[in-house]
Amino acid sequence: MKWNQQKIKIKNKQKILHTVINQAPISRADLATQLGLTKGTVSTLVGELIEEKICLESGPGESSGGRRPVILLFNEKAGYSVGIDLGVNYILGILTDLKGQIIQEQKEEMDTRNEDECVEAIINMIHSLISSAPQSPYGIVGIGIGIPGILNKEETIILAPNLGWENSNIKDRIQEAFQVPVLLENEANAGAYGEKKYGAGKNYTNVVYVSAGVGIGGGIIFDNELYRGSRGFSGEIGHMTIELNGKPCRCGNNGCWELYASEKALLNQAQAILGANEKVNLDYLVKIAEENEQIKHVFTTLGKYLGIGILNIINTFNPEEVIIGNQLASAKKWLIGPINDYIETHNIKFDEGHIKITFAELGFHSAARGVSAQTIDHFLKSREQIALV
Ligand SMILES: [Zn+2]
């Protein structure tokens, strides 16, 4: 077969697989109609996918008379993927099937600032997750790790300020330990990917995900794809200036957004109100805001600051949807009102009512499920690319 024909064949096969994944159960005849391919082409390519154990045939589907067609399913048990979300004070790990459904989950609270200890803990967690994977034709198809920092295109961690890591290459160490493809992704990009694939962003083409945790990061989905910028540093929105003479930031500037609208900003203000002896965390604050007007006011102010930054994002990117994720998503109850109020009163008038502001649907799993999904997508694509070489 000529290279060009081979390329068309792979494209068609990927289209078929994509449609089966999204629409199964589906028959060969429906695939042919939907994709504008001949029944013969569909039959051959589906045959290959079944042989490769990526698709399965199942009993009779609906028929409009005559012979009942055999329906096709995606074999999500053909392999498994690992997703790790590395936080400043925790490591969250999940094992998922090829549909991204969580099979196993582990969380370890720890100070992740010591790089060697942290990498060791990640490796141990991955070992443990892998050992719980059921037998499957492809085994572990890859490992994805979400990092709270800036990565270059080679996936070296240039700087993870909240971890205190600089120029570190943990990808090679983990790849060496497991001998499967490993990918590293900025945590906000991972969250954006996860929400786009399985959560609040599923039905939207242009989405900005705001990861509001210890710091603030952003993941941009542009035309259904993750936008990384020219050198991979897009989305450093936590350091946009929102107060000209504001507080000094560790990035060297003043008045950065994350100093006013992150979880850390919230905890610092609440601590000042409640006194140094009170043990303050987000869940506790969400609860006591019911009775404590001062704490409720801290949430309201934080919500307003979130609104200011989000409006800047809206005016820059004109997305259909902004998703607020990471830790502060659990304070939705107190934040959604002030955010919407700010945006409604300050939005450019011609764009009123066109933007959806929402919170992460996958909760704490956005980033872990996002990197797991990237790994799966990479596996499903690269299988075919190998055939081209
Ligand atoms: Zn800054």
Side-chain angles (χ1 to χ4, degrees):
M1 200 184 283
K2 282 194 190 128
W3 192 77
N4 248 356
Q5 287 171 306
Q6 183 78 2
K7 222 170 141 185
I8 290 166
K9 183 192 144 184
I10 288 170
K11 227 174 171 186
N12 286 336
K13 198 168 161 186
Q14 279 177 350
K15 270 191 210 162
I16 289 174
L17 178 58
H18 186 78
T19 312
V20 173
I21 290 172
N22 290 310
Q23 296 183 31
I26 188 166
S27 68
R28 287 172 173 79
D30 284 345
L31 277 171
T33 323
Q34 254 195 58
L35 299 173
L37 298 170
T38 66
K39 282 186 183 169
T41 303
V42 169
S43 218
T44 310
L45 298 178
V46 162
E48 288 185 18
L49 287 166
I50 290 172
E51 204 169 295
E52 291 158 9
K53 300 192 165 58
I54 294 290
C55 287
L56 297 170
E57 273 180 316
S58 182
E62 300 262 328
S63 167
S64 48
R67 199 161 62 91
R68 292 180 134 213
V70 173
I71 54 161
L72 297 165
L73 300 169
F74 174 52
N75 181 16
E76 72 262 24
K77 309 277 179 245
Y80 294 86
S81 163
V82 173
I84 301 283
D85 171 19
L86 174 59
V88 177
N89 44 24
Y90 68 88
I91 303 170
L92 170 70
I94 56 172
L95 176 81
T96 75
D97 64 21
L98 296 185
K99 260 192 187 163
Q101 301 172 111
I102 298 174
I103 305 293
Q104 189 68 247
E105 174 172 353
Q106 283 186 22
K107 191 174 181 185
E108 197 179 324
E109 309 273 347
M110 73 174 277
D111 186 337
T112 50
R113 284 176 298 183
N114 182 313
E115 189 181 319
D116 283 336
E117 275 174 32
C118 178
V119 171
E120 202 185 308
I122 290 174
I123 289 177
N124 287 340
M125 188 178 280
I126 296 171
H127 270 301
S128 161
L129 288 166
I130 288 178
S131 70
S132 64
Q135 280 294 327
S136 62
Y138 292 95
I140 300 297
V141 302
I143 297 165
I145 304 175
I147 304 284
I150 301 168
L151 290 89
N152 63 14
K153 287 197 166 167
E154 288 71 44
E155 298 173 24
T156 301
I157 304 166
I158 304 288
L159 179 68
N162 291 315
L163 299 180
W165 296 12
E166 239 173 272
N167 289 321
S168 68
N169 187 349
I170 68 167
K171 178 176 163 144
D172 288 352
R173 287 168 72 182
I174 293 170
Q175 203 148 305
E176 227 161 73
F178 296 98
Q179 304 293 324
V180 297
V182 172
L183 67 86
L184 259 58
E185 180 64 273
N186 166 272
E187 139 321 290
N189 282 350
Y193 202 92
E195 289 293 328
K196 165 69 189 152
K197 190 100 189 174
Y198 309 120
K202 235 177 355 198
N203 301 318
Y204 297 90
T205 313
N206 297 300
V207 176
V208 177
Y209 173 85
V210 176
S211 169
V214 174
I216 296 183
I220 301 154
I221 302 283
F222 176 71
D223 247 353
N224 287 320
E225 304 276 345
L226 204 49
Y227 174 76
R228 294 172 193 282
S230 62
R231 292 173 61 212
F233 306 163
S234 71
E236 283 305 310
I237 54 178
H239 298 280
M240 67 167 123
T241 306
I242 56 161
E243 289 279 8
L244 189 59
N245 296 309
K247 303 174 201 175
C249 180
R250 56 187 162 65
C251 76
N253 275 325
N254 285 71
C256 294
W257 190 27
E258 70 175 36
L259 301 175
Y260 299 86
S262 62
E263 185 195 15
K264 200 171 174 182
L266 178 88
L267 297 182
N268 287 345
Q269 286 170 55
Q271 195 81 65
I273 291 167
L274 298 170
N277 292 331
E278 191 100 24
K279 209 170 178 302
V280 164
N281 66 43
L282 185 59
D283 288 344
Y284 174 67
L285 295 177
V286 168
K287 213 165 74 193
I288 66 165
E290 299 277 359
E291 296 129 28
N292 188 324
E293 279 300 319
Q294 274 180 296
I295 297 299
K296 196 173 156 187
H297 182 72
V298 172
F299 275 111
T300 306
T301 309
L302 190 100
K304 187 178 142 195
Y305 274 114
L306 274 169
I308 293 173
I310 289 171
L311 188 58
N312 285 337
I313 292 169
I314 294 171
N315 289 338
T316 310
F317 295 103
N318 184 217
E320 299 159 271
E321 188 190 36
V322 176
I323 303 170
I324 301 154
N326 208 333
Q327 306 290 337
L328 283 183
S330 62
K332 174 181 177 182
K333 183 180 175 185
W334 301 115
L335 297 175
I336 187 78
I339 293 172
N340 279 333
D341 281 352
Y342 185 85
I343 289 167
E344 272 162 31
T345 47
H346 294 81
N347 201 3
I348 298 171
K349 292 300 168 225
F350 62 78
D351 201 35
E352 261 173 324
H354 285 282
I355 176 85
K356 186 173 173 196
I357 312 283
T358 186
F359 283 77
E361 263 175 29
L362 308 178
F364 292 123
H365 295 122
S366 309
R369 289 189 69 188
V371 276
S372 165
Q374 280 182 313
T375 299
I376 294 164
D377 288 348
H378 178 77
F379 161 72
L380 292 174
K381 271 193 197 137
S382 62
R383 274 176 352 105
E384 297 297 339
Q385 300 305 334
I386 293 164
L388 253 183
V389 182

